[in-house]
Amino acid sequence: MMPSCFFAHGAPSIVLENNAYTELLRDFARGHARPKGIVLFSAHWEESVQSVGVADTFETIYDFGGFQEELYSMTYPAHGDRALGDEVLRLFAEKGIKSVSNDKRGLDHGAWAVLKMLFPEADIPVVALSVNRHLTEAEQYGIGQALSSLRERDILIIGSGGTVHNLRRLNWRAEGAEPWAEQFDNWLQEKLEAWDTEALFRYMELAPHAKDAVPTSEHFIPLLLAMGAGDATRQAKLLHRSYQYGNLSLSCWQFN
């Protein structure tokens, strides 16, 4: 069965970097079966109704400023998959989750930067999915859970975001993690590995430094979505964790 995964996308410039995390992403395909399609939730696509992106060929969105010039010439012309998109819509409908199709929107950097490292040839069809920060944690998990059967059909489900993502507290000179960021991620690791959804759904009140780690929830949500997609097997494995600028976490979780 194909896993579901959470990948932190960090700063847009991560696609230009060479470090332990980018090496893991670039080597990911070697250790896994080739997916027949990819369903990806990006923290940078927010909608009040669950949206399902099914463009014939996705445009590359440069939703950032002030980074290296070469980033703005990069493209990731992934093809959409309308049949897979229709299946996603059907699965949502079965669970009473309202969703709509979108054939106009391209891939933001939360999607294409990760995909470019995972599958640089852009030769695997993609269905892009939005996130909604106004739902409960249990509802987020349920959205991922609704898609879990796709894993049996060799569809890779990805949540792209960041467990610790506080741009106001970035330390541009930091090497390694700020203690508060690491304490939050340590708590998160414990609860994920125990598959303690009761605690995870209350992370904002139970986890240390949660308000600093998750000042807004859109980057955290993809973790719950990817975890929900792994509900059938409930095995969480941390593949990597490091940090940019003191608190911007670069973590990879695999749910088997």
Side-chain angles (χ1 to χ4, degrees):
M1 182 182 293
M2 189 69 63
S4 60
C5 295
F6 170 82
F7 295 109
H9 56 250
S13 55
I14 191 172
V15 74
L16 300 175
E17 298 173 6
N18 291 295
N19 53 47
Y21 184 55
T22 61
E23 182 177 340
L24 178 143
L25 294 178
R26 293 181 177 115
D27 287 345
F28 180 84
R30 298 179 187 175
H32 296 79
R34 180 179 171 85
K36 295 179 180 177
I38 299 168
V39 171
L40 186 148
F41 294 91
S42 173
H44 288 273
W45 185 12
E46 292 191 68
E47 298 285 357
S48 59
V49 175
Q50 180 64 59
S51 295
V52 180
V54 291
D56 290 330
T57 301
F58 287 97
E59 294 184 2
T60 305
I61 302 174
Y62 306 102
D63 53 332
F64 49 82
F67 287 90
Q68 297 96 320
E69 190 64 31
E70 59 191 296
L71 284 175
Y72 302 92
S73 61
M74 285 188 173
T75 60
Y76 194 82
H79 294 295
D81 186 331
R82 291 182 182 269
L84 178 56
D86 287 342
E87 179 66 6
V88 169
L89 291 164
R90 186 187 68 79
L91 291 170
F92 283 149
E94 280 187 355
K95 297 299 183 180
I97 299 167
K98 184 178 179 180
S99 59
V100 296
S101 180
N102 183 317
D103 62 0
K104 304 298 183 185
R105 192 179 190 276
L107 296 177
D108 56 67
H109 83 270
W112 68 259
V114 168
L115 291 174
K116 195 169 184 69
M117 288 184 283
L118 293 171
F119 305 104
E121 300 302 319
D123 56 355
I124 299 174
V126 173
V127 171
L129 297 175
S130 65
V131 301
N132 180 358
R133 72 171 80 182
H134 302 295
L135 302 178
T136 67
E137 283 70 29
E139 287 171 325
Q140 309 288 3
Y141 186 93
I143 289 172
Q145 192 176 9
L147 302 182
S148 61
S149 63
L150 294 175
R151 296 171 53 208
E152 300 173 6
R153 297 168 47 191
D154 295 328
I155 303 301
L156 176 62
I157 300 172
I158 295 175
S160 174
T163 56
V164 182
H165 190 270
N166 190 330
L167 300 183
R168 293 185 177 183
R169 295 198 62 179
L170 295 184
N171 180 349
W172 298 98
R173 299 180 180 179
E175 295 183 7
E178 301 281 0
W180 62 267
E182 197 163 30
Q183 288 167 24
F184 175 83
D185 268 340
N186 286 339
W187 180 93
L188 189 61
Q189 179 175 353
E190 177 186 334
K191 304 308 177 187
L192 285 166
E193 289 177 343
W195 212 275
D196 187 351
T197 54
E198 182 177 348
L200 285 165
F201 293 169
R202 298 171 59 204
Y203 77 93
M204 190 53 71
E205 59 181 293
L206 297 179
H209 310 290
K211 291 183 179 179
D212 286 322
V214 189
T216 57
S217 63
E218 76 286 341
H219 276 75
F220 189 85
I221 289 167
L223 176 68
L224 297 175
L225 295 163
M227 184 186 187
D231 181 81
T233 44
R234 297 195 167 196
Q235 295 180 354
K237 182 179 181 181
L238 179 63
L239 301 184
H240 180 90
R241 189 173 84 195
S242 59
Y243 297 84
Q244 292 178 304
Y245 316 124
N247 83 66
L248 194 60
S249 64
L250 299 177
S251 55
C252 173
W253 281 94
Q254 180 170 300
F255 303 106
N256 292 103

